[in-house]
Amino acid sequence: MEILEEAIARRVDAIAVVPFSPEALEPVLKRAMGAGIKVVSHEAATIQNVDLDIEAFRNADLGEHYMKKLGECMGGEGEYAVFVASLASTSHNQWVDAAIAYQHANFPGMKMVGSKNETADDQQQAYAKTQELLRAYPNLRGFQGSGSTDVAGIGQAIDERRMADDTCVVGTSLPSISAQYLDTGAVDMISFWDPALAGYAMNKLALMLLEGKEPTDGMNLEIPGYEKVSLDGKVIRGQAWIDVTKNNAKDYPF
């Protein structure tokens, strides 16, 4: 909020923001818009006080994708747990909520244990919570992570217990964080989108707004994953997620 207040005071032309807690930033972004500043956000599809929000994909689609992969890995049976970096993170909760709904509809033999596990995107917190869950639920075999380090923490615990062959772990991460656990099989699949490309898309949209141009449904931003975006009100979505397993992790050295 302090950084945004400083930007408003400097009378910048545009602000591109990826809010950790969208709700907390609504008042200051409202002031920015009131000052005539164009505001573009990312990972905040429900935020109100922006001109446009760009998403790499529809959050519910990614959540359903994760659960489809997790359910296939688990054979549609058994207990699983879900992790979010923050209970205030809009995108993480949308992924998890969609995954749970997809499980209920498509994998009735699966059961979520406990509630959403909050990790602050900290690998050691994810590791500790995984250990706690495995002690509390001896039959727990599935995990879905949302924060970038969640699956790494989960994988670390799985490796220590030598449970890679008996568990399934999917979630959002990068090869630089989780490659060692993909290699051992403690993590089965990660997905991500290139944040640099998302940032590029944010800036490109901000420039369009400053030039008086309006986005249109199906437009091509000429950025990989954003060649045919969908427009829903002020929310623009691409199709930009990338699935990585141990078989192709080396193709993404970041």
Side-chain angles (χ1 to χ4, degrees), residues 106-183:
N106 296 277
F107 300 114
M110 293 172 62
K111 177 185 177 182
M112 189 180 89
V113 298
S115 56
K116 298 173 184 176
N117 296 278
E118 191 174 24
T119 65
D121 205 359
D122 180 274
Q123 180 173 336
Q124 288 309 303
Q125 287 200 38
Y127 165 80
K129 287 185 180 293
T130 302
Q131 295 284 26
E132 291 173 8
L133 286 165
L134 288 169
R135 288 191 292 268
Y137 303 98
N139 296 320
L140 178 59
R141 291 296 178 267
F143 300 85
Q144 178 184 323
S146 302
S148 63
T149 60
D150 287 354
V151 298
I154 296 166
Q156 182 182 354
I158 296 299
D159 258 353
E160 285 188 6
R161 289 172 172 255
R162 299 183 180 181
M163 295 177 63
D165 292 339
D166 303 315
T167 55
C168 295
V169 180
V170 303
T172 311
S173 192
L174 291 172
S176 59
I177 298 172
S178 302
Q180 70 183 93
Y181 303 111
L182 288 168
D183 286 341

Side-chain angles (χ1 to χ4, degrees), residues 58-251:
R58 181 174 173 265
N59 282 330
D61 290 346
L62 181 63
E64 292 176 357
H65 177 66
Y66 281 150
M67 184 51 66
K68 181 179 180 181
K69 294 297 184 180
L70 185 64
E72 289 173 353
C73 180
M74 295 176 63
E77 301 286 339
E79 297 177 345
Y80 72 96
V82 296
F83 289 62
V84 296
S86 168
L87 293 173
S89 172
T90 300
S91 54
H92 291 190
N93 283 279
Q94 288 177 342
W95 300 342
V96 165
D97 290 342
I100 295 168
Y102 189 88
Q103 176 263 305
H104 288 161
N106 296 277
F107 300 114
M110 293 172 62
K111 177 185 177 182
M112 189 180 89
V113 298
S115 56
K116 298 173 184 176
N117 296 278
E118 191 174 24
T119 65
D121 205 359
D122 180 274
Q123 180 173 336
Q124 288 309 303
Q125 287 200 38
Y127 165 80
K129 287 185 180 293
T130 302
Q131 295 284 26
E132 291 173 8
L133 286 165
L134 288 169
R135 288 191 292 268
Y137 303 98
N139 296 320
L140 178 59
R141 291 296 178 267
F143 300 85
Q144 178 184 323
S146 302
S148 63
T149 60
D150 287 354
V151 298
I154 296 166
Q156 182 182 354
I158 296 299
D159 258 353
E160 285 188 6
R161 289 172 172 255
R162 299 183 180 181
M163 295 177 63
D165 292 339
D166 303 315
T167 55
C168 295
V169 180
V170 303
T172 311
S173 192
L174 291 172
S176 59
I177 298 172
S178 302
Q180 70 183 93
Y181 303 111
L182 288 168
D183 286 341
T184 64
V187 173
D188 296 273
M189 186 197 79
I190 62 172
S191 297
F192 58 85
W193 61 103
D194 189 333
L197 295 178
Y200 184 17
M202 293 172 75
N203 286 337
K204 194 159 189 177
L205 289 172
L207 182 59
M208 284 179 58
L209 292 171
L210 290 169
E211 293 175 342
K213 301 175 181 177
E214 293 294 328
T216 57
D217 188 57
M219 68 184 286
N220 183 0
L221 293 180
E222 299 179 347
I223 301 170
Y226 302 89
E227 295 94 344
K228 188 177 181 180
V229 299
S230 62
L231 179 63
D232 180 11
K234 64 178 66 177
V235 180
I236 295 174
R237 295 183 175 90
Q239 306 87 32
W241 75 63
I242 301 167
D243 289 341
V244 170
T245 67
K246 66 179 179 180
N247 296 324
N248 65 339
K250 293 180 179 178
D251 296 337

Side-chain angles (χ1 to χ4, degrees), residues 4 8 12-17 25 28-34 36-42 47-54 202 205-206 209-210 234:
L4 289 169
I8 295 169
V12 299
D13 296 302
I15 289 173
V17 59
L25 296 187
V28 67
L29 292 178
K30 185 175 182 178
R31 289 194 291 277
M33 295 184 71
I37 297 170
K38 300 299 183 183
V39 180
V40 179
S41 61
H42 174 54
I47 201 165
Q48 298 299 309
N49 291 297
V50 299
D51 292 285
L52 293 171
D53 175 79
I54 180 75
M202 293 172 75
L205 289 172
L209 292 171
L210 290 169
K234 64 178 66 177

